[in-house]
Amino acid sequence: MADEQTGQERTEPATPKRRQDARKKGQVARSREIPVAVGILAGAMFFWVAGPALIGGAGDLMRAGFSHVVRPDLSPPAFRALLLSTAASAIGLLTPLMAVMLAAGVAANVLQTGPVLSLDPLAPKLSKISPAAGLKRIFSAVTLVELVKSILKLAVIAAAVYGVLRAEAGHLPELAGRDPHVLLPYLGAVAFRVAVTTGMVLLVVAVVDLGFQRFEHEKRLRMTRQEVKRELKETEGDPMVRARIRSIQREAARKRMMADVPGADVVVTNPTHLSVALKYEGATMAAPRVVAKGAGHVAMRIREIAREAGVPVLEDKPLARALYKTVEVGREIPFDLYQAVAEVLAFVYRVNDGRRQRAAR
């Protein structure tokens, strides 16, 4: 599908921000049949457990209603009161079953998408009341696919239910004139099989539909390369600005590093390309620390500052390379370099002690 504005193909997978924005708008992949199927199956299981009580209550309700209806002295006000009382009793009898089905449907919906709370679909939009937009939705490919899916779903469910009822067709003549205590359990058993069959068939259809919905959702979320670049620019800033900021940060870090060179004990070089400045204070440091390092021009500048400050500059190619590769500025040297650095510092301390002794004479 081409982007209408840029003409680019939507070939890039959705970014996390794109998915998050779509979720905030309530755009998630879900199958509407899964809550219905789970609700029906949960209702069937509840009926399997509480069926005797429900059937018994329904039988008592029917007998009570019929016994009052046939009374010759039943007045219109009394009939209305009887009707309201029967309706209230029926509602009370079915409320637990409806509550179980509703709770199961809501739980199934949350499990397949996670908690999603969005008021965006309820916001007023001109496209919702536009006749042209409405006709476009009615005759769109998506609507056609949904229509075909609904017809196939109803056909499959109808075939499954017909199979269950057809197996019971031979028993129907025997039910005429039967007492409710016999009729209602039989009808309850048939209703249970119809509910389980419908729920299982609908669940299979729902799982297939969920896969299709996720495929379509991913397809709708795909982005063009221009959209990915624009989003990256909006979230992380202009690349040129970011590069400039990083350059300023590196320069500031370099200046701080150079400011620490005069306080170093020694600068180790290789001798032309690398320079590493070391400092050790026994009272505050567990091991010597790299206070500055650099290659090329930076290495030359470190040596210049060290010479101006009177810091010894020693050539040791293996040690300089090892320190440059393995130790970051501000970090202490690793254990395997202790001996080599200790020898360098010991030499520097001996040289400094000799200079101080000659100066004292």
Side-chain angles (χ1 to χ4, degrees), residues 83-240:
L83 185 62
L84 292 175
S85 175
T86 304
S89 300
I91 292 174
L93 193 65
L94 294 176
T95 295
L97 176 62
M98 297 296 104
V100 168
M101 294 178 66
L102 178 62
V106 172
N109 202 34
V110 172
L111 287 176
Q112 68 170 322
T113 62
V116 179
L117 180 60
S118 175
L119 300 179
D120 188 77
L122 303 178
K125 296 180 182 179
L126 294 177
S127 60
K128 294 181 179 180
I129 60 176
S130 171
L135 290 174
K136 185 177 180 181
R137 285 195 298 269
I138 292 174
F139 296 102
S140 65
V142 176
T143 304
L144 179 60
V145 171
E146 291 296 327
L147 177 61
V148 173
K149 282 168 47 184
S150 299
I151 294 174
L152 292 176
K153 177 180 65 178
L154 292 176
V156 172
I157 293 175
V161 173
Y162 174 76
V164 175
L165 296 179
R166 184 178 180 182
E168 301 295 332
H171 301 287
L172 294 179
E174 304 174 3
L175 301 178
R178 289 295 184 92
D179 185 85
H181 281 292
V182 177
L183 181 62
L184 288 178
Y186 172 77
L187 293 178
V190 174
F192 175 76
R193 288 198 294 273
V194 169
V196 171
T197 302
T198 303
M200 292 302 295
V201 171
L202 193 57
L203 185 61
V204 173
V205 173
V207 171
V208 176
D209 180 60
L210 179 60
F212 175 77
Q213 293 296 335
R214 288 183 174 177
F215 172 78
E216 286 294 315
H217 183 66
E218 290 296 323
K219 187 177 178 181
R220 288 192 297 269
L221 289 181
R222 295 185 75 85
M223 306 168 66
T224 64
R225 292 185 179 181
Q226 186 63 31
E227 287 175 333
V228 174
K229 292 179 181 178
R230 183 168 61 250
E231 182 181 294
L232 183 63
K233 184 176 180 179
E234 291 174 354
T235 55
E236 299 185 7
D238 188 275
M240 296 182 65

Side-chain angles (χ1 to χ4, degrees), residues 309-330:
V311 177
V313 178
L314 299 180
E315 178 183 338
D316 191 326
K317 295 181 181 180
L319 180 59
R321 291 172 182 170
L323 290 170
Y324 184 83
K325 291 182 180 180
T326 60
V327 188
E328 296 296 327
V329 176

Side-chain angles (χ1 to χ4, degrees), residues 41 44-45 72-73 104 106 108 136 153 182 187 250 254 283 290 311 330 334 352:
L41 290 174
M45 294 301 103
D73 59 341
V106 172
K136 185 177 180 181
K153 177 180 65 178
V182 177
L187 293 178
R250 286 195 297 268
R254 187 179 297 114
V290 174
V311 177
N352 289 338

